[in-house]
Amino acid sequence: MSQHGGISDEGGAIAHRELGGFLRSRRERLSPEDVGLPPTGRRRTPGLRREEVAVLAGVGVTWYSWLEQGRSINVSTQVISAVGRALQLDDSETQHLRRLAGMQPPMPEAPSSDPALLSAIQPILDKLNPYPACLQTSLFDVVAHNQAYRWLFTGIDLLPAPDRNCAVQFFTDPQWRGRYLDPDIVATRMVARMRAAASTTASRGTPTVVDRLKEQSDEFARLWTRHDVLLEHYEVKHLTSPLVGRLNLNFVSTAIPETSHRMTVMTPADSETSERLEELSALPASAR
């Protein structure tokens, strides 16, 4: 089996370390029984050994060890797919592995303050009232939003620009986190999407946001080390507004072409939520 091709040089040593860390985390979650190998008694460390993964993938032990150690080595699509199968990766994890190995070019991150982008998107966001809607970067920076979003997440427009980030607010502001009725699930999915985004985009903000959150939130740091990945998908979230009560909202995201930005719209999942969004939109400014 060929072991030639190329890991992209973009990102350098950081990309190789991310690849090695991801492989190690997935190896450690498997047992010999999971992959059809006979049990070998008590092990000093959890999971499969590197030698076992190499045998299952049909690659050299030294080569696989170097790959997991984050060394800069050549790898083909065929080989990386074999490694993914050996580690029993799901579709999202397989895509993540291929991106880390440089087999899918990163999507350029448009500048957050791009005037042309904002002028094109803001009228759309405004027309979506009373449904909360915003334009976000792949790492949850809120670039633009409509009035309904502002009323739901009170005061976001008053925050300093570096703090207008959903992940930063969720993991550092108890009031923001308190909007969600299932915060533990939201936390896990948010970090997994950031992990996937960090390998998808050539984002200049990746180290800043991630490093900041690892320093300020023990929960974020713990979740980040798990190397879980989750691609953007449709889901229902349950929030509560201090002004109108419980809201069951469909989170629907649309990718913005030629950028890694997305427009997220929150639509009502039931008639009660629809009525409460209308009520929120109709409240006088003094009540908000």
Side-chain angles (χ1 to χ4, degrees):
M1 181 178 293
S2 171
Q3 296 175 15
H4 299 283
I7 293 179
S8 170
D9 290 335
E10 189 165 355
I14 294 176
H16 293 300
R17 286 198 301 270
E18 283 292 312
L19 174 60
F22 178 66
L23 291 173
R24 187 165 51 253
S25 71
R26 291 308 175 260
R27 173 172 60 82
E28 292 175 349
R29 72 179 181 180
L30 294 173
S31 67
E33 293 84 351
D34 291 332
V35 296
L37 295 176
T40 58
R42 188 177 184 85
R43 298 188 173 211
R44 289 180 297 175
T45 57
L48 297 176
R49 298 187 177 98
R50 288 174 177 170
E51 296 84 352
E52 292 168 333
V53 175
V55 169
L56 290 167
V59 300
V61 174
T62 300
W63 179 88
Y64 178 78
S65 297
W66 286 352
L67 185 67
E68 198 173 285
Q69 289 167 3
R71 298 196 190 189
S72 178
I73 60 176
N74 293 327
V75 58
S76 70
T77 301
Q78 184 183 15
V79 170
I80 211 69
S81 297
V83 170
R85 288 193 298 270
L87 294 172
Q88 300 186 356
L89 304 186
D90 62 23
D91 291 343
S92 295
E93 292 169 332
T94 299
Q95 291 186 47
H96 183 64
L97 176 62
R98 289 173 179 168
R99 282 191 295 269
L100 290 176
M103 293 172 180
Q104 296 179 15
M107 181 69 71
E109 183 82 60
S112 296
S113 57
D114 184 348
L117 179 62
L118 296 182
S119 63
I121 296 297
Q122 189 63 59
I124 300 174
L125 298 176
D126 293 338
K127 287 291 186 180
L128 289 168
N129 281 307
Y131 298 161
C134 69
L135 178 68
Q136 293 178 316
T137 66
S138 61
L139 294 170
F140 294 102
D141 286 321
V142 178
V143 178
H145 57 275
N146 64 4
Q147 186 180 74
Y149 188 91
R150 185 183 306 124
W151 296 160
L152 180 58
F153 295 103
T154 312
I156 187 171
D157 51 324
L158 303 178
L159 294 172
D163 293 341
R164 294 177 194 172
N165 179 288
C166 294
V168 169
Q169 292 305 310
F170 181 88
F171 285 101
T172 65
D173 184 354
Q175 186 178 33
W176 183 291
R177 185 188 183 97
R179 292 282 196 275
Y180 293 88
L181 299 179
D182 45 5
D184 292 341
I185 295 174
V186 173
T188 300
R189 292 177 176 174
M190 183 177 287
V191 175
R193 278 196 289 273
M194 291 183 74
R195 173 66 79 173
S199 69
T200 303
T201 65
S203 171
R204 293 183 295 274
T206 300
T208 302
V209 174
V210 172
D211 291 345
R212 174 182 178 180
L213 285 170
K214 285 195 290 187
E215 180 178 334
Q216 295 182 348
S217 169
D218 291 340
E219 179 187 25
F220 180 91
R222 174 178 56 81
L223 292 172
W224 188 257
T225 62
R226 286 168 42 171
H227 286 268
D228 290 340
V229 292
L230 181 67
L231 302 182
E232 194 68 40
H233 69 294
Y234 163 84
E235 62 182 322
V236 177
K237 292 182 181 177
H238 310 289
L239 292 86
T240 183
S241 163
L243 299 173
V244 297
R246 179 175 177 132
L247 298 168
N248 301 314
L249 296 167
N250 303 307
F251 274 54
V252 182
S253 293
T254 303
I256 305 301
E258 299 181 5
T259 78
S260 62
H261 286 43
R262 60 179 178 265
M263 183 170 65
T264 298
V265 184
M266 306 173 196
T267 63
D270 51 54
S271 59
E272 291 82 3
T273 297
S274 181
E275 293 171 0
R276 288 169 183 165
L277 287 177
E278 293 284 355
E279 179 183 349
L280 182 64
S281 178
L283 286 173
S286 59
R288 302 185 187 113

